[in-house]
């Protein structure tokens, strides 16, 4: 086993290696229903660290094995997945040209799931097919045109023609969507979908 003994970042690791969540690992759990407080706490810790110029957020060790240029995490996959989703969101929301997106896409592509075929296929599609300047512009235009709170990225993703409806049965897929846009609840009075917990990347 090769050990990385210095502090590093997920972005730096993905520039040099691939990370594959192996088949025996459980599904992505930080985005599950019932984990609202955990999401809010973790995302707010990340936000506070990013907003401070002299602050680092240390996320403890990630254990795994490395074969050639592929890392297989044995512990820490939940943190890794949340950070990957956050980085994906940052690229989607900030990059404006296809050339810029392609530059970052090459790095994001080095993260994948083998836990379920739905998880792997969704992550590949999310990064390779959906992550485009056209999709990004369309979504940001919708956010400007309509009330921002009513336009959720998770809904926008699921309404794309390339999104396979069967993916909705995958726990990891649902967790990633919930991590992006928070927990959605139907308001019985207004009959509208709301995000009362504010536990998604979009809200925080």
């Amino acid at each position: 086993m090769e050990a990385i003994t210095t502090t590093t970042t997920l972005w730096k690791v993905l520039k040099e290696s691939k990370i594959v969540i192996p088949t025996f690992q459980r599904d992505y759990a930080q985005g599950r229903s019932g984990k609202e407080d955990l999401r809010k706490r973790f995302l707010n810790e990340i936000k506070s660290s990013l907003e401070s110029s002299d602050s680092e957020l240390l996320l403890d060790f990630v254990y795994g094995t490395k074969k050639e240029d592929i890392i297989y995490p044995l512990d820490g996959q939940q943190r890794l997945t949340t950070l990957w989703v956050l980085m994906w969101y940052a690229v989607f929301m900030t990059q404006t040209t296809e050339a810029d997106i392609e530059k970052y896409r090459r790095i994001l592509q080095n993260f994948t799931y083998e836990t379920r075929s739905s998880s792997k296929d969704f992550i590949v599609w999310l990064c390779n097919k959906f992550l485009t300047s056209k999709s990004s512009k369309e979504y940001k235009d919708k956010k400007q045109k309509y009330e921002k709170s009513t336009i959720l990225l998770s809904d926008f993703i699921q309404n794309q023609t390339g999104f396979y409806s069967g993916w909705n049965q995958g726990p990891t897929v649902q967790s990633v969507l919930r991590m992006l846009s928070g927990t959605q609840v139907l308001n019985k009075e207004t009959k509208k979908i709301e995000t009362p917990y504010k536990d998604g990347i979009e809200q925080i």
Side-chain angles (χ1 to χ4, degrees):
M1 181 185 298
E2 179 181 342
I4 299 175
T5 57
T6 57
T7 302
T8 187
T9 67
L10 178 58
W11 191 256
K12 289 179 181 178
V13 172
L14 290 177
K15 281 184 175 182
E16 302 172 355
S17 307
K18 293 182 179 180
I19 294 179
V20 177
I21 307 300
T23 54
F24 58 80
Q25 287 279 12
R26 63 175 177 157
D27 290 291
Y28 178 44
Q30 285 190 350
R32 285 180 181 173
S33 178
K35 299 291 185 179
E36 293 83 10
D37 289 339
L38 183 151
R39 278 192 294 279
K40 288 177 65 175
R41 183 170 62 252
F42 188 31
L43 291 176
N44 274 303
E45 287 176 355
I46 294 173
K47 180 183 177 183
S48 296
S49 179
L50 291 172
E51 289 177 340
S52 175
S53 60
D54 59 350
S55 175
E56 288 185 351
L57 180 61
L58 299 178
L59 298 178
D60 209 346
F61 296 100
V62 173
Y63 299 97
T65 61
K66 184 176 183 181
K67 297 180 180 179
E68 297 180 355
D69 66 337
I70 302 178
I71 298 171
Y72 298 92
L74 302 176
D75 177 69
Q77 65 121 328
Q78 301 295 325
R79 285 165 286 158
L80 292 174
T81 304
T82 296
L83 291 175
W84 184 87
V85 174
L86 182 61
M87 293 189 305
W88 179 93
Y89 177 79
V91 173
F92 183 77
M93 293 300 293
T94 61
Q95 303 307 308
T96 57
T97 70
E98 195 59 33
D100 287 339
I101 287 180
E102 175 61 25
K103 178 174 63 175
Y104 295 114
R105 183 189 293 120
R106 292 195 190 102
I107 299 172
L108 292 170
Q109 284 174 335
N110 283 332
F111 181 89
T112 189
Y113 259 75
E114 286 187 350
T115 306
R116 295 172 185 257
S117 59
S118 60
S119 304
K120 180 178 181 179
D121 293 344
F122 172 66
I123 293 295
V124 169
W125 175 82
L126 193 66
C127 192
N128 295 353
K129 301 296 184 181
F130 178 74
L131 185 59
T132 64
S133 57
K134 179 181 178 181
S135 296
S136 177
K137 183 178 185 306
E138 182 181 349
Y139 179 66
K140 285 181 278 191
D141 287 347
K142 282 180 176 289
K143 295 283 279 188
Q144 289 184 345
K145 184 176 181 180
Y146 301 101
E147 184 181 352
K148 288 187 176 182
S149 61
T150 65
I151 306 299
L152 297 176
L153 182 53
S154 59
D155 292 337
F156 182 74
I157 290 172
Q158 292 175 89
N159 288 331
Q160 299 300 303
T161 55
F163 182 88
Y164 175 52
S165 60
W167 289 342
N168 279 318
Q169 305 305 315
T172 292
V173 176
Q174 284 300 299
S175 289
V176 169
L177 294 173
R178 193 175 291 109
M179 179 61 75
L180 282 169
S181 298
T183 303
Q184 300 180 41
V185 176
L186 176 65
N187 186 313
K188 295 180 179 179
E189 295 182 359
T190 65
K191 305 301 181 183
K192 292 182 178 181
I193 297 294
E194 298 178 350
T195 54
Y197 299 104
K198 307 301 180 187
D199 58 328
I201 292 173
E202 283 195 286
Q203 293 87 26
I204 293 177

